[in-house]
Amino acid sequence: MFTVCICTGFFIACGTSRPAKTPGYTPLIYLLKSTPISFDRSTLNEIPNNPFPSLSVPTYITKVEDTYFIVDCYNNQVIYHDNLNDPLYLWQVMTNDISMGHTIASDGEVYLIDDTENNRILIMEKGKNVNGQTIFVPTQEFCGIGNRPHFILYDDYTDTFYAWSSQSGEMYLFRHAKGDTRVYLTDIRSIPSLAGIYVRSFTILDDRIYFVSGNSSIIEADLYSFEIKKEYPVLPEMAGMIQLTQIEDYYYITISTDITGNQDYATMLRTKSLEDLSDGKYEDVYQNFIGGGTPYYITHIDDKWYLTEHRIPGHSIWSFQVEDNAILNVTSIY
């Protein structure tokens, strides 16, 4: 399995002054514009329900406006629904035209999905069918995007979608003008030392971007220049990191494998200082869940945190809360 992180809404002081919020985009300078997709909207007059009885390696859950989305990676689909109480067979299929997708991001106007094994970014838009039901229509795409694009998020402060190519060390930046859904590739940035290294995600915190690299370290870079500012070594047993998330006073890190690729080391850790990781100064918090699986991405929805997980049948998505750094109300959702 392969896997950023998401922007948590928590910021840390980096000792620098962040540039002003990026103004709205005008498509005058760009590297590439999206390719339109021809799609028969009438095929969605009857919205297909999720055909699978269970999730197969779900990697991401998020909520946009009043709708929840789950990226069901090994079932090659994204599904959506208006609540988390109904059984999975009542969820609707947003798209099954992807191969091993990992994440979805939206600014409320467009929805970008990383079609990982096809090296493609799929763009969808919200609409209504003849019955007045909400549908999601594939309208655009970018092909030839890096090597296995694996994590995508929208950052409101820079008004930009960031899509990470998991095995080439490249970040693809996408933008569109407000009120105009045509999407443009505006820049490609890179971390040369991560080329050829499997990196599952990234995290944006204020003016910094963090990469939990498969290179046995966490890299902190400037978000605007991608200049590396710091590098935090980690121990071999946590080298196969998936995601870094800041929750209250701690950095939470999900782990898939050790440096040899052994999934027996899959766990979730937290630490107050990234500098402490190389000395083994961290707390294993996976015991708050069942344990024994592979925790993946963490997202923040309303007043709860959500964790996707695989290798444990019947426990694919968890919700939990954190109050005064205590992990509370851990609940298996699906």
Side-chain angles (χ1 to χ4, degrees), residues 8-301:
T8 66
F10 292 86
F11 299 136
I12 60 176
C14 298
T16 59
S17 177
R18 191 175 193 188
K21 186 173 181 179
T22 304
Y25 178 63
T26 301
L28 297 177
I29 301 175
Y30 53 87
L31 301 179
L32 187 68
K33 64 173 65 175
S34 64
T35 299
I37 292 176
S38 178
F39 182 80
D40 182 1
R41 294 172 62 106
S42 68
T43 61
L44 295 177
N45 287 340
E46 292 188 12
I47 304 171
N49 279 355
N50 173 30
F52 298 102
S54 61
L55 301 169
S56 182
V57 188
T59 47
Y60 202 74
I61 180 171
T62 190
K63 183 182 181 184
V64 181
E65 296 174 340
D66 59 354
T67 304
Y68 294 91
F69 299 85
I70 296 174
V71 182
D72 193 8
C73 183
Y74 277 25
N75 280 332
N76 298 310
Q77 64 176 3
V78 179
I79 57 177
Y80 68 98
H81 200 49
D82 61 3
N83 69 77
L84 296 176
N85 299 314
D86 288 341
L88 289 167
Y89 65 80
L90 291 179
W91 284 59
Q92 296 76 41
V93 176
M94 181 184 196
T95 182
N96 56 15
D97 183 28
I98 55 175
S99 179
M100 301 294 193
H102 284 76
T103 52
I104 178 174
S106 177
D107 63 353
E109 290 191 84
V110 293
Y111 297 75
L112 274 63
I113 301 168
D114 49 19
D115 183 3
T116 300
E117 298 302 327
N118 290 322
N119 298 329
R120 179 177 75 132
I121 300 298
L122 173 64
I123 301 163
M124 304 189 73
E125 298 174 41
K126 188 175 181 179
K128 298 285 185 181
N129 63 14
V130 294
N131 302 311
Q133 298 169 300
T134 296
I135 58 174
F136 293 91
V137 180
T139 58
Q140 311 162 63
E141 64 182 358
F142 287 91
C143 298
I145 299 299
N147 185 351
R148 303 189 68 254
H150 201 295
F151 193 89
I152 187 166
L153 66 78
Y154 173 71
D155 178 60
D156 177 70
Y157 195 88
T158 55
D159 186 36
T160 299
F161 288 90
Y162 295 81
W164 177 249
S165 169
S166 67
Q167 294 183 326
S168 67
E170 296 171 307
M171 186 75 81
Y172 290 76
L173 278 59
F174 299 96
R175 301 188 70 190
H176 71 94
K178 187 173 179 60
D180 182 352
T181 57
R182 187 67 181 270
V183 178
Y184 298 82
L185 173 63
T186 59
D187 199 1
I188 303 174
R189 298 175 185 165
S190 66
I191 301 288
S193 62
L194 295 182
I197 304 295
Y198 182 36
V199 179
R200 293 173 171 88
S201 74
F202 62 91
T203 303
I204 294 175
L205 295 174
D206 198 15
D207 63 346
R208 293 289 190 260
I209 184 166
Y210 294 79
F211 297 91
V212 286
S213 81
N215 208 18
S216 297
S217 68
I218 297 171
I219 290 177
E220 175 187 333
D222 181 272
L223 175 62
Y224 298 89
S225 67
F226 269 40
E227 176 187 356
I228 295 176
K229 296 298 184 180
K230 290 183 182 179
E231 191 160 358
Y232 306 92
V234 302
L235 297 175
E237 55 262 37
M238 60 178 298
M241 296 173 285
I242 297 173
Q243 182 188 20
L244 166 73
T245 307
Q246 191 180 31
I247 305 176
E248 292 192 352
D249 297 328
Y250 284 87
Y251 297 97
Y252 286 67
I253 302 172
T254 48
I255 311 291
S256 176
T257 69
D258 69 351
I259 198 169
T260 69
N262 186 347
Q263 287 197 55
D264 290 342
Y265 288 86
T267 190
M268 182 161 66
L269 313 173
R270 72 178 187 180
T271 182
K272 287 187 176 182
S273 172
L274 298 180
E275 288 90 345
D276 287 343
L277 292 173
S278 61
D279 295 325
K281 296 178 181 178
Y282 54 75
E283 177 187 359
D284 191 314
V285 295
Y286 200 26
Q287 68 270 16
N288 290 278
F289 305 82
I290 284 183
T294 300
Y296 218 68
Y297 290 136
I298 298 173
T299 52
H300 193 216
I301 302 173

Side-chain angles (χ1 to χ4, degrees), residues 288-313:
N288 290 278
F289 305 82
I290 284 183
T294 300
Y296 218 68
Y297 290 136
I298 298 173
T299 52
H300 193 216
I301 302 173
D302 299 330
D303 64 341
K304 296 179 181 178
W305 296 90
Y306 290 82
L307 171 70
T308 56
E309 181 179 53
H310 59 275
R311 291 202 299 153
I312 302 182

